[in-house]
mmCIF file of all heavy atoms in Angstrom:
data_model
loop_
_atom_site.group_PDB
_atom_site.id
_atom_site.type_symbol
_atom_site.label_atom_id
_atom_site.label_comp_id
_atom_site.label_asym_id
_atom_site.label_seq_id
_atom_site.Cartn_x
_atom_site.Cartn_y
_atom_site.Cartn_z
ATOM 1 N N LEU A 1 10.204 19.000 -9.572
ATOM 2 C CA LEU A 1 9.270 18.441 -8.597
ATOM 3 C C LEU A 1 8.807 19.517 -7.616
ATOM 4 O O LEU A 1 7.621 19.572 -7.256
ATOM 5 C CB LEU A 1 9.906 17.262 -7.830
ATOM 6 C CG LEU A 1 10.117 15.993 -8.645
ATOM 7 C CD1 LEU A 1 10.952 14.989 -7.843
ATOM 8 C CD2 LEU A 1 8.821 15.364 -9.048
ATOM 9 N N ASP A 2 9.732 20.323 -7.176
ATOM 10 C CA ASP A 2 9.361 21.424 -6.249
ATOM 11 C C ASP A 2 8.401 22.387 -6.930
ATOM 12 O O ASP A 2 7.403 22.833 -6.340
ATOM 13 C CB ASP A 2 10.612 22.189 -5.835
ATOM 14 C CG ASP A 2 11.481 21.435 -4.856
ATOM 15 O OD1 ASP A 2 10.966 20.452 -4.241
ATOM 16 O OD2 ASP A 2 12.655 21.785 -4.711
ATOM 17 N N ALA A 3 8.643 22.680 -8.207
ATOM 18 C CA ALA A 3 7.782 23.631 -8.905
ATOM 19 C C ALA A 3 6.395 23.034 -9.179
ATOM 20 O O ALA A 3 5.387 23.756 -9.137
ATOM 21 C CB ALA A 3 8.440 24.031 -10.232
ATOM 22 N N LEU A 4 6.360 21.736 -9.361
ATOM 23 C CA LEU A 4 5.062 21.080 -9.592
ATOM 24 C C LEU A 4 4.234 21.102 -8.331
ATOM 25 O O LEU A 4 3.046 21.331 -8.345
ATOM 26 C CB LEU A 4 5.307 19.672 -10.083
ATOM 27 C CG LEU A 4 4.129 18.929 -10.794
ATOM 28 C CD1 LEU A 4 3.634 19.700 -11.959
ATOM 29 C CD2 LEU A 4 4.617 17.537 -11.215
ATOM 30 N N GLY A 5 4.883 20.826 -7.222
ATOM 31 C CA GLY A 5 4.275 20.998 -5.889
ATOM 32 C C GLY A 5 3.249 20.016 -5.460
ATOM 33 O O GLY A 5 2.548 20.203 -4.490
ATOM 34 N N ASP A 6 3.161 18.853 -6.176
ATOM 35 C CA ASP A 6 2.176 17.834 -5.818
ATOM 36 C C ASP A 6 2.827 16.740 -4.964
ATOM 37 O O ASP A 6 3.973 16.397 -5.173
ATOM 38 C CB ASP A 6 1.632 17.167 -7.100
ATOM 39 C CG ASP A 6 0.569 17.983 -7.740
ATOM 40 O OD1 ASP A 6 -0.621 17.824 -7.429
ATOM 41 O OD2 ASP A 6 0.896 18.780 -8.678
ATOM 42 N N GLU A 7 2.041 16.236 -4.020
ATOM 43 C CA GLU A 7 2.583 15.133 -3.234
ATOM 44 C C GLU A 7 2.599 13.805 -3.982
ATOM 45 O O GLU A 7 3.414 12.980 -3.770
ATOM 46 C CB GLU A 7 1.725 15.012 -1.904
ATOM 47 C CG GLU A 7 1.898 16.155 -0.973
ATOM 48 C CD GLU A 7 1.190 15.907 0.343
ATOM 49 O OE1 GLU A 7 0.621 14.794 0.557
ATOM 50 O OE2 GLU A 7 1.161 16.867 1.184
ATOM 51 N N GLU A 8 1.618 13.652 -4.904
ATOM 52 C CA GLU A 8 1.558 12.482 -5.725
ATOM 53 C C GLU A 8 1.896 12.855 -7.154
ATOM 54 O O GLU A 8 1.217 13.641 -7.799
ATOM 55 C CB GLU A 8 0.104 11.864 -5.664
ATOM 56 C CG GLU A 8 -0.285 11.381 -4.286
ATOM 57 C CD GLU A 8 -1.642 10.795 -4.295
ATOM 58 O OE1 GLU A 8 -2.127 10.407 -5.394
ATOM 59 O OE2 GLU A 8 -2.238 10.666 -3.238
ATOM 60 N N VAL A 9 2.982 12.228 -7.651
ATOM 61 C CA VAL A 9 3.455 12.552 -9.032
ATOM 62 C C VAL A 9 3.726 11.274 -9.775
ATOM 63 O O VAL A 9 4.290 10.300 -9.259
ATOM 64 C CB VAL A 9 4.761 13.413 -8.943
ATOM 65 C CG1 VAL A 9 5.352 13.673 -10.319
ATOM 66 C CG2 VAL A 9 4.508 14.714 -8.187
ATOM 67 N N LEU A 10 3.330 11.279 -11.039
ATOM 68 C CA LEU A 10 3.656 10.199 -11.986
ATOM 69 C C LEU A 10 4.783 10.724 -12.826
ATOM 70 O O LEU A 10 4.880 11.888 -13.210
ATOM 71 C CB LEU A 10 2.436 9.870 -12.864
ATOM 72 C CG LEU A 10 1.186 9.457 -12.128
ATOM 73 C CD1 LEU A 10 0.012 9.260 -13.118
ATOM 74 C CD2 LEU A 10 1.406 8.235 -11.268
ATOM 75 N N ALA A 11 5.698 9.795 -13.228
ATOM 76 C CA ALA A 11 6.841 10.201 -14.027
ATOM 77 C C ALA A 11 7.145 9.172 -15.113
ATOM 78 O O ALA A 11 7.050 7.957 -14.877
ATOM 79 C CB ALA A 11 8.074 10.338 -13.114
ATOM 80 N N ALA A 12 7.518 9.687 -16.265
ATOM 81 C CA ALA A 12 7.880 8.793 -17.372
ATOM 82 C C ALA A 12 9.109 9.363 -18.158
ATOM 83 O O ALA A 12 9.165 10.557 -18.401
ATOM 84 C CB ALA A 12 6.716 8.648 -18.366
ATOM 85 N N ALA A 13 10.037 8.440 -18.438
ATOM 86 C CA ALA A 13 11.213 8.817 -19.191
ATOM 87 C C ALA A 13 11.116 8.259 -20.586
ATOM 88 O O ALA A 13 10.617 7.169 -20.813
ATOM 89 C CB ALA A 13 12.472 8.220 -18.534
ATOM 90 N N GLY A 14 11.604 9.044 -21.553
ATOM 91 C CA GLY A 14 11.538 8.630 -22.971
ATOM 92 C C GLY A 14 12.895 8.219 -23.505
ATOM 93 O O GLY A 14 13.862 8.077 -22.804
ATOM 94 N N PRO A 15 12.924 8.012 -24.832
ATOM 95 C CA PRO A 15 14.159 7.560 -25.488
ATOM 96 C C PRO A 15 15.317 8.569 -25.272
ATOM 97 O O PRO A 15 15.103 9.778 -25.321
ATOM 98 C CB PRO A 15 13.766 7.531 -26.975
ATOM 99 C CG PRO A 15 12.284 7.392 -26.993
ATOM 100 C CD PRO A 15 11.827 8.186 -25.792
ATOM 101 N N HIS A 16 16.487 8.032 -25.017
ATOM 102 C CA HIS A 16 17.702 8.830 -24.827
ATOM 103 C C HIS A 16 18.944 7.962 -24.998
ATOM 104 O O HIS A 16 18.790 6.748 -25.260
ATOM 105 C CB HIS A 16 17.718 9.465 -23.411
ATOM 106 C CG HIS A 16 17.729 8.451 -22.344
ATOM 107 N ND1 HIS A 16 16.527 7.780 -21.899
ATOM 108 C CD2 HIS A 16 18.687 7.938 -21.551
ATOM 109 C CE1 HIS A 16 16.842 6.940 -20.973
ATOM 110 N NE2 HIS A 16 18.150 7.004 -20.710
ATOM 111 N N ILE A 17 20.087 8.551 -24.973
ATOM 112 C CA ILE A 17 21.297 7.743 -25.103
ATOM 113 C C ILE A 17 21.496 6.878 -23.858
ATOM 114 O O ILE A 17 21.516 7.378 -22.763
ATOM 115 C CB ILE A 17 22.534 8.646 -25.371
ATOM 116 C CG1 ILE A 17 23.736 7.796 -25.770
ATOM 117 C CG2 ILE A 17 22.823 9.578 -24.194
ATOM 118 C CD1 ILE A 17 24.901 8.625 -26.270
ATOM 119 N N ARG A 18 21.602 5.567 -24.087
ATOM 120 C CA ARG A 18 21.698 4.650 -22.932
ATOM 121 C C ARG A 18 23.133 4.375 -22.580
ATOM 122 O O ARG A 18 24.079 4.710 -23.313
ATOM 123 C CB ARG A 18 21.009 3.369 -23.342
ATOM 124 C CG ARG A 18 19.523 3.550 -23.698
ATOM 125 C CD ARG A 18 18.654 3.700 -22.496
ATOM 126 N NE ARG A 18 17.253 4.105 -22.829
ATOM 127 C CZ ARG A 18 16.252 4.044 -21.995
ATOM 128 N NH1 ARG A 18 16.409 3.552 -20.776
ATOM 129 N NH2 ARG A 18 15.046 4.422 -22.377
ATOM 130 N N ALA A 19 23.292 3.790 -21.390
ATOM 131 C CA ALA A 19 24.637 3.587 -20.848
ATOM 132 C C ALA A 19 25.638 2.919 -21.776
ATOM 133 O O ALA A 19 26.781 3.376 -21.841
ATOM 134 C CB ALA A 19 24.528 2.790 -19.528
ATOM 135 N N PRO A 20 25.255 1.889 -22.556
ATOM 136 C CA PRO A 20 26.253 1.285 -23.399
ATOM 137 C C PRO A 20 26.841 2.228 -24.469
ATOM 138 O O PRO A 20 27.926 2.008 -24.980
ATOM 139 C CB PRO A 20 25.430 0.112 -24.066
ATOM 140 C CG PRO A 20 24.400 -0.193 -23.117
ATOM 141 C CD PRO A 20 23.986 1.140 -22.552
ATOM 142 N N SER A 21 26.101 3.314 -24.806
ATOM 143 C CA SER A 21 26.506 4.221 -25.821
ATOM 144 C C SER A 21 27.027 5.579 -25.274
ATOM 145 O O SER A 21 27.691 6.326 -25.987
ATOM 146 C CB SER A 21 25.337 4.551 -26.762
ATOM 147 O OG SER A 21 24.732 3.369 -27.258
ATOM 148 N N PHE A 22 26.771 5.852 -23.981
ATOM 149 C CA PHE A 22 27.070 7.143 -23.420
ATOM 150 C C PHE A 22 28.452 7.123 -22.734
ATOM 151 O O PHE A 22 28.598 6.879 -21.577
ATOM 152 C CB PHE A 22 25.981 7.546 -22.424
ATOM 153 C CG PHE A 22 26.067 8.979 -21.995
ATOM 154 C CD1 PHE A 22 26.823 9.972 -22.677
ATOM 155 C CD2 PHE A 22 25.404 9.391 -20.823
ATOM 156 C CE1 PHE A 22 26.871 11.252 -22.272
ATOM 157 C CE2 PHE A 22 25.450 10.706 -20.404
ATOM 158 C CZ PHE A 22 26.158 11.638 -21.122
ATOM 159 N N GLU A 23 29.485 7.434 -23.533
ATOM 160 C CA GLU A 23 30.847 7.444 -23.007
ATOM 161 C C GLU A 23 31.196 8.841 -22.504
ATOM 162 O O GLU A 23 30.974 9.830 -23.180
ATOM 163 C CB GLU A 23 31.808 7.090 -24.156
ATOM 164 C CG GLU A 23 33.298 7.086 -23.777
ATOM 165 C CD GLU A 23 34.178 6.785 -24.910
ATOM 166 O OE1 GLU A 23 33.885 5.819 -25.676
ATOM 167 O OE2 GLU A 23 35.195 7.490 -25.083
ATOM 168 N N VAL A 24 31.755 8.863 -21.277
ATOM 169 C CA VAL A 24 32.170 10.124 -20.661
ATOM 170 C C VAL A 24 33.579 9.969 -20.090
ATOM 171 O O VAL A 24 34.056 8.881 -19.828
ATOM 172 C CB VAL A 24 31.194 10.578 -19.578
ATOM 173 C CG1 VAL A 24 29.821 10.816 -20.143
ATOM 174 C CG2 VAL A 24 31.140 9.589 -18.426
#
């Protein structure tokens, strides 16, 4: 976000390992 430097930013997250599957 700092490197992008815009006050108005849109953000989108894509497919990834979700909480039910992500054991740590």
Side-chain angles (χ1 to χ4, degrees):
L1 290 171
D2 287 342
L4 198 56
D6 281 271
E7 292 186 5
E8 297 181 18
V9 176
L10 304 176
H16 60 281
I17 189 168
R18 301 283 170 164
S21 308
F22 190 17
E23 179 183 315
V24 299

